[in-house]
Amino acid sequence: MKKEFAILVVAVIIFGVIASGCIGGETSTTQTQKPATSSAQSTSETTNVVIYGYGSEMITLDPSTEFSNSIVVLANVYECLVKYTPEGLKPWLATSWESNENGTVWTFHLRKGVKFHTGNEMTAEDVKWSIERTIRMGLGPAFIWDPVKKIEIVDEYTIKFYLKYPANLPLIASSAYGAYIMDSKYLSKLGDDNAIADWLNKGHDAGTGPYMIDKYDPKTEVILKKFPEYWGGWSDDQFDVAIIKIVPDASLREQMVVSGEIQITRDLPLDDIPKLKENPNVVVDQTPSYQELYAFFNTKKPPLDNKLVRQALSYAVPYQDIVQYVLHGYGEVAKGPIPKGMFGYFEDLPTYHYDLNKAKELLAKAGYPNGGFKLVLTYTQGDEAEAKVAEIIKAEWKKLGIEVEIRPMNWEQQWALAKSDPAKAQDIFMMYWWPTYPTPYDFLFNMFHCEEEINFNLCYYCNSEFDKLIDEAVTLEGTQPEKAAELYKKAEKILIEDAPAIFLYYPDDVYVYHKSIKGFKDNPGYPQVVFFYELHKA
Amino acid sequence: MKFREYVAYRLVLAIFVIIGVVTLVFFVSRVIPSDPAALYVGAHPTPEAIEKAREQLHLNDPLIKQYAYYLWSLLHGDLGISIRTHNPVVQDLKSAFTATFELILVAEFIAILIGIPLGVYSAVKKDSWLDNLSRLFAISGVSLPAFWFGIVLQLIFFKHLQLLPLAGRVDTVVLLQHPLKVITGFYLIDSLITGNIPVFIDALKHIILPAITLAMYPIGLITRQVRSMMIEVLQENYIRTAWAYGIPPRRIYFKYALKNAIAPALITIGLSFAYTLVGAFLVELIFNWPGLGRYAAYSILSMDYPAVLGVTIVAATAYVFINLIVDIVQVYLDPRIKL
């Protein structure tokens, strides 16, 4: 008994010493300065850190296959040939580009004197290798390069793409997913594609971007350090170190940005935004995103296979109230299937508005004067906004004698049910869409084009006239944008007339940043990305 | 049954329990309709990409084959690939485990430091206002929800007093200025060994609130256990004799009485380790502590079942072995227990 007690006491004491830190009293507290490496931090420069509080974990770091959150890292470390901005395409690694008459051959002129983090110079060879690797691996976003038949190196700084069919290649080359240029000389030495992927996923990089990956822990933080030889150059008030800190809890992120523990964050609870606007320490930045919320009707199952019923229900949605109540005004009522600010969005599309009388009239016409049917609506569990929208719709349609059963499901289950037999599937499916790269075709093709096998056309809509219009429009996007827009508009009008889905709203991207930084500008073409190079100390 | 036989018997039993847990969780997680392959590929996947992922994750094999494959990998210490992070689960768990273990140890330390003296004083001053107060404290510790308590602490110490950090394990900027050489994976110990005082202080500041939150439950347990054992012991004849001899009270309480009262409390302390492992799940979420609990919560939410299985195995193993050790110690200490 004595012995055990003694052991316990000793253990407690040892642990106590460790935890209370009384050992530390003896050691000298002088800072051991690390020898200065190329971008070593001295203590005086530590204010030179910017931290982005981000809600999700990183997935993979392979630019060829990454199709998820890690673009918040990749877009700072790698660069594309072209940069998308809402004002139009801008040079990035390519300084200019041109195409032949019908948009099947594209030539890009590359920026000279661009260095990779490895020290090698970027040439046409790297561009060809990077894109060919992405196509070869065929994973994630590789489909964006589908039009490409052949890539030809003209000289060190000129590269030619031959396409199977006309396409807007500069826009594709600006994609936030699958369009990054890597150092082929360095990577090809590492082995096959999988060996390269393994090396990259360990937290290495081979990009040209302003920042290099210094430490990669996909669950807690990613530390980026500035690349001193970046072709864009550096000024004194930019940040030497940029950190992406993973903090899944939104209220924690809010506290952190207010206290200055992190400098920028997003996806905070919308109820708190008005309070944050009052706070002198932070700035609330609100810009339209390229996202849209849809509710797809099951067009293969009665009663929603009847166009009149779909139109009636489209009139029975209080769009304005939804934006007010669900988004607290941080968003806009959708005008058709394409988000505002994108090519293919038209202010003057004839869209549905809230009109219960009109809805009743149409229902009577369709043979359901008192409603009298039941619909199953599925949405993604945990999405507060979708849950609220579902409740509002349920309450409104009750006035028409229609009962809605709301089923929150986890995304994989929701999607699996939708991909099973449409005759047994849900009646209404709620989902957000955002583009792989900002083309209306990404929206219209994925969600409304006839599908052999169900993937994302979750209203099971199939209209050959509509398909023909968008298939033609996409080939003209690069060379004849006015003509393309005209065709898109026709297609969207058909869609609105047929009402295969309710176009609900465009949510805003709401970033909140601390007053100690300036220069932030949201770019909806690169969702959730903060371009650290654009930030400056305030 | 000899002592050694008993230990061997219990070990074999423990292995069966763990296999049982693995089997149960494996099949339960597979019958839930979901498509891990779709999750693995990420947003807006093409059917081809999903099929590729299916092959990669062996999802096209019959369930029994998948199960056999999983057990076989498990024997080699391979827990598969996380669907969410694409990392080997073992690698994810390693870093998470040390974070959780450090938190639990500090919490237990706090619990022992507060629980034992509080229990002793409660027993000595039985039915006084001090006793009632400490019992109230102990009952609150056991019954107040940890998440609520944690948030209250954050409100007081971070928001109003601005004394302690809100969340996380160590401040990134401090870590940048004073890079920490990782030896054990315990920040407090590593920073001490390497003489990295700024990181030590910062890590200590970060651990205080989550550790106190986590300690509340074991404090309640230990206090109550020590108190009731002390009350029992203080009525024993030999204590009365000691009083009669005029031995100083302090010595009677802490030397004669506590010595005999502490043995059952040791068992409680051992078991409370297992409880704190459970409590860590909530506490880690509130304090954004990069440990097993947070990892498990996000794995469950995103149906990442290799990760869920991995956490389950680690937690079950820890739980079973803590119980095993406690039982063995009990048998060893108390000859009255018949094997």
Side-chain angles (χ1 to χ4, degrees), chain A residues 65-175:
Chain A
T65 59
E66 171 59 27
F67 202 17
S68 189
N69 308 329
S70 302
I71 62 158
V72 301
V73 176
L74 296 183
N76 284 293
V77 173
Y78 295 87
E79 292 171 303
C80 311
L81 291 173
V82 180
K83 190 163 198 173
Y84 176 89
T85 72
E87 295 78 43
L89 297 177
K90 297 269 188 306
W92 206 353
L93 285 178
T95 49
S96 63
W97 49 88
E98 68 266 357
S99 79
N100 64 350
E101 188 72 24
N102 62 1
T104 50
V105 181
W106 289 86
T107 311
F108 288 83
H109 303 280
L110 304 182
R111 191 179 295 281
K112 291 175 184 159
V114 173
K115 278 240 169 75
F116 283 108
H117 302 159
T118 51
N120 297 328
E121 202 203 347
M122 185 214 45
T123 63
E125 195 190 333
D126 299 301
V127 176
K128 177 177 158 82
W129 184 90
S130 300
I131 294 167
E132 282 180 348
R133 175 175 183 261
T134 301
I135 295 170
R136 185 170 60 236
M137 289 179 83
L139 293 166
F143 64 85
I144 62 172
W145 298 108
D146 184 62
V148 174
K149 185 162 71 188
K150 186 172 85 169
I151 306 174
E152 183 186 278
I153 296 172
V154 179
D155 60 43
E156 274 212 323
Y157 304 107
T158 317
I159 190 154
K160 247 193 172 103
F161 292 81
Y162 294 91
L163 308 188
K164 299 177 212 159
Y165 49 86
N168 188 359
L169 202 66
L171 183 68
I172 294 172
S174 76
S175 170

Side-chain angles (χ1 to χ4, degrees), chain B residues 5 49 61 102 114 125 129 145 167 169 172 176 180 189 193 208-209 225 231 238 265 276 280 296 305-306:
Chain B
E5 278 174 17
D61 299 346
E102 181 169 42
I114 295 174
K125 305 255 189 262
W129 63 269
R169 205 176 161 192
T172 315
L176 266 178
L180 178 67
I189 295 176
I193 294 173
I208 289 172
L209 292 187
Q225 180 78 33
I231 288 173
Y238 76 93
T276 44
Y305 55 70

Side-chain angles (χ1 to χ4, degrees), chain A residues 254 257-258 268 272-280 282 284 512:
Chain A
E254 185 183 325
V257 77
V258 168
L268 296 183
D272 294 353
I273 301 291
K275 189 177 74 191
L276 289 167
K277 278 189 167 163
E278 304 285 293
N279 191 320
V282 292
V284 176
V512 176

Side-chain angles (χ1 to χ4, degrees), chain B residues 33 38 98 243 335:
Chain B
T98 47
W243 281 119

